[in-house]
Amino acid sequence: MRKKIVAGNWKMNKTPKEALELVELLKEKVDTDTVDVVFCVPAIDIIPVAEALKGTKIALGAQNMHFEESGAYTGEISAAMLKECGVQYVVLGHSERREYFGETDETVNKKVKKALEHGLTPIMCCGETLQQREEGVTMEHIRTQIKRGLLGVAADDVAKMVIAYEPIWAIGTGKTATDEQAEEVCAAIRQVVGEVFGAETAEQVRIQYGGSVNGKNAASLFAKADIDGGLVGGASLKTEFEQIVKFG
Ligand code: 13P
């Protein structure tokens, strides 16, 4: 039985001071054993938020990292740096990073491997554009992203990972995928994981839906067989996040 996981992706929001205010507002409301709860915070907020989350069951996540061990990569942050600061999860290959910062399946793959090497759990994102959906190539696109993103990763590592299906047309638009649309793609992701890594791995990997998840639509989305929780943007910055965690 897979445990549900609800992660808040704060994106580029909250200064360190504001981050601490948000943690204070939310932490008692979302501190639970029944669901894994993760706050994926901006890099500069990691150290203060790690301190503020001590004594809770809420896990800390980052939103990106570099795939090299260390070196001349100005502005980048390594897996070892995240790990030392108490980070457990790292979002990799979010569509915003693919669109604005040139991330490719190849760089995502390198990052997934480096994160796993350091004991971080990747939350690897995939998702189609509106054009791809309208052209009927959603499944091919998602299958390619999954196969390339996980290329050369060991099956037992894939089993520990989280994959987030985030249709790009549903992100920040208020236009959520229907429960059926979300389930159809999450089931297809599980199927491709099964084809490449075997049935046991497919059974264990956790698959989230993301894209305009809110306190109202979370219950029916998370009730679907292949949806193991959500990656939540806007609604993770508000007390509404409590509602979403309750449905996890
Ligand atoms: P919204 O929940 O704001 O649509 O963002 C989804 C997302 O991109 C989470 O990573």
Side-chain angles (χ1 to χ4, degrees), residues 1-72:
M1 189 63 191
R2 295 182 297 271
K3 190 174 184 186
K4 294 254 196 286
I5 174 162
V6 177
N9 175 7
W10 292 10
K11 306 194 179 182
M12 195 175 75
N13 293 294
K14 305 297 173 188
T15 65
K17 189 163 156 271
E18 291 165 348
L20 290 178
E21 287 164 9
L22 183 59
V23 170
E24 283 316 307
L25 182 73
L26 290 178
K27 77 174 179 188
E28 270 154 38
K29 296 180 167 62
V30 301
D31 193 10
T32 171
D33 273 324
T34 48
V35 183
D36 285 336
V37 176
V38 190
F39 289 172
C40 299
V41 308
I44 194 104
D45 297 342
I46 286 173
I47 292 174
V49 170
E51 192 60 36
L53 290 179
K54 277 195 180 139
T56 75
K57 295 169 212 86
I58 303 164
L60 184 57
Q63 299 174 10
N64 183 35
M65 51 161 256
H66 199 267
F67 52 77
E68 291 292 352
E69 191 59 37
S70 64

Side-chain angles (χ1 to χ4, degrees), residues 123-238:
I123 301 179
M124 188 184 86
C125 303
C126 62
E128 80 286 3
T129 62
L130 185 58
Q131 189 182 347
Q132 286 169 324
R133 177 158 283 268
E134 286 172 352
E135 287 172 357
V137 297
T138 297
M139 292 308 181
E140 290 92 319
H141 176 68
I142 299 289
R143 287 175 62 87
T144 303
Q145 284 188 317
I146 298 297
K147 284 188 179 178
R148 289 193 177 151
L150 298 178
L151 198 67
V153 179
D156 55 347
D157 279 334
V158 175
K160 289 183 252 165
M161 282 180 56
V162 179
I163 297 174
Y165 167 54
E166 299 205 306
I168 294 167
W169 49 271
I171 296 177
T173 57
K175 200 174 166 214
T176 322
T178 64
D179 302 341
E180 290 71 30
Q181 284 172 326
E183 169 61 16
E184 184 186 25
V185 181
C186 290
I189 292 169
R190 200 174 302 286
Q191 190 184 330
V192 69
V193 169
E195 287 165 20
V196 181
F197 300 98
E200 204 179 313
T201 302
E203 202 43 53
Q204 287 172 46
V205 66
R206 292 189 290 180
I207 304 174
Q208 297 174 313
Y209 167 79
S212 299
V213 174
N214 60 40
K216 292 198 182 74
N217 58 32
S220 57
L221 282 163
F222 298 174
K224 290 288 177 190
D226 290 291
I227 302 179
D228 305 313
L231 184 56
V232 184
S236 72
L237 301 169
K238 304 186 264 188

Side-chain angles (χ1 to χ4, degrees), residues 101-123:
F101 305 100
E103 294 244 0
T104 62
D105 290 333
E106 194 190 358
T107 56
V108 173
N109 178 244
K110 288 184 184 173
K111 290 180 179 194
V112 165
K113 288 175 176 163
K114 185 53 76 177
L116 287 164
E117 194 185 307
H118 283 267
L120 294 164
T121 301
I123 301 179

